[in-house]
Amino acid sequence: GAVVSQHPSWVICKSGTSVKIECRSLDFQATTMFWYRQFPKQSLMLMATSNEGSKATYEQGVEKDKFLINHASLTLSTLTVTSAHPEDSSFYICSAPFDGRPYEQYFGPGTRLTVT
Amino acid sequence: SQQGEEDPQALSIQEGENATMNCSYKTSINNLQWYRQNSGRGLVHLILIRSNEREKHSGRLRVTLDTSKKSSSLLITASRAADTASYFCATDARDDKIIFGKGTRLHILP
């Protein structure tokens, strides 16, 4: 099956710094990718839709200036958490659907971000 | 935004028993999916059921869908310790998005 990778799998950073998380579709192209955030013992909350060649679209309540998304190519989307604070500590997961089969999405393994 | 609501939020059963989790959603859907997530790990896709299907089986999993009630259930038969995980239903929304429910934490007791 299709594979989506994320890098890094975990990261610890100091408050005020920025962190970049990569999401790659390894064996298929994805013009759209999705970013989710998951707090402990909670569900996945959709943050934004990453669109190759155009701006990302953000869900209500998600600060676009804080969570910068760049869909650099058909296989890579990046999420940069800028000026991170402890409350940004979370599990970030990306997903990528096969083009033309939106219900068939493949999820990355997630990135655990801890801001100290 | 959250589309689905699972119940129960947490479920503990003895190994070998059947586990049933329910999911309700708010808007019309094309598909409903169930995922499993082991603690702190990524998601594993379990099963997809289309809006025109009422029941689907995969191994020890049985999923039902009632579009008139906007609800679905996931039944795991003959549970095993390895089934301990969180289970989420997810529905499709506009613009190819998948929206997750709150999840059920299942704990299989030895």
Side-chain angles (χ1 to χ4, degrees):
Chain A
V3 177
V4 173
S5 70
Q6 281 184 241
H7 178 79
S9 55
W10 61 270
V11 57
I12 301 172
C13 71
K14 292 187 177 180
S15 190
T17 61
S18 295
V19 173
K20 181 185 284 187
I21 302 170
E22 293 185 349
C23 176
R24 292 181 186 273
S25 56
L26 296 186
D27 49 2
F28 66 102
Q29 293 183 335
T31 55
T32 302
M33 292 184 178
F34 299 97
W35 286 96
Y36 294 84
R37 179 170 54 183
Q38 184 181 32
F39 292 109
K41 295 187 178 180
Q42 295 190 25
S43 185
L44 284 78
M45 295 296 294
L46 181 64
M47 299 176 64
T49 304
S50 175
N51 304 299
E52 192 270 337
S54 63
K55 291 182 179 179
T57 54
Y58 292 81
E59 295 300 303
Q60 194 172 7
V62 178
E63 299 175 59
K64 61 180 181 181
D65 294 331
K66 180 164 186 63
F67 299 99
L68 301 180
I69 291 172
N70 181 31
H71 203 125
S73 73
L74 288 171
T75 59
L76 173 64
S77 173
T78 60
L79 168 68
T80 302
V81 183
T82 62
S83 187
H85 290 104
E87 56 265 32
D88 298 324
S89 297
S90 189
F91 194 53
Y92 292 86
I93 301 176
C94 69
S95 72
F98 268 129
D99 280 349
R101 285 187 279 175
Y103 51 82
E104 191 172 334
Q105 295 214 18
Y106 295 90
F107 286 82
T111 296
R112 172 83 52 198
L113 169 64
T114 302
V115 184
T116 61
Chain B
S1 60
Q2 210 89 46
Q3 162 78 308
E5 290 254 353
E6 281 94 331
D7 81 271
Q9 291 187 356
L11 177 63
S12 292
I13 60 171
Q14 293 293 138
E15 191 169 12
E17 294 180 340
N18 297 340
T20 300
M21 290 159 271
N22 302 296
C23 165
S24 59
Y25 55 92
K26 298 174 185 174
T27 61
S28 297
I29 60 170
N30 294 317
N31 305 285
L32 185 144
Q33 304 184 65
W34 285 91
Y35 290 85
R36 183 184 74 218
Q37 185 182 36
N38 288 59
S39 181
R41 309 289 289 275
L43 292 169
V44 174
H45 182 261
L46 295 176
I47 199 165
L48 177 150
I49 186 166
R50 302 186 191 285
S51 59
N52 61 353
E53 297 177 309
R54 292 295 166 259
E55 188 171 312
K56 203 161 184 180
H57 297 255
S58 176
R60 294 184 295 114
L61 306 180
R62 173 177 168 256
V63 168
T64 63
L65 178 64
D66 187 335
T67 53
S68 66
K69 295 181 180 178
K70 292 188 170 58
S71 67
S72 174
S73 68
L74 170 66
L75 168 68
I76 303 174
T77 60
S79 63
R80 305 168 181 170
D83 295 329
T84 293
S86 292
Y87 292 82
F88 298 94
C89 70
T91 52
D92 53 357
R94 291 180 298 109
D95 303 325
D96 297 351
K97 299 174 185 177
I98 290 182
I99 306 297
F100 286 84
K102 293 183 177 179
T104 293
R105 294 192 304 280
L106 175 65
H107 185 55
I108 307 300
L109 303 169

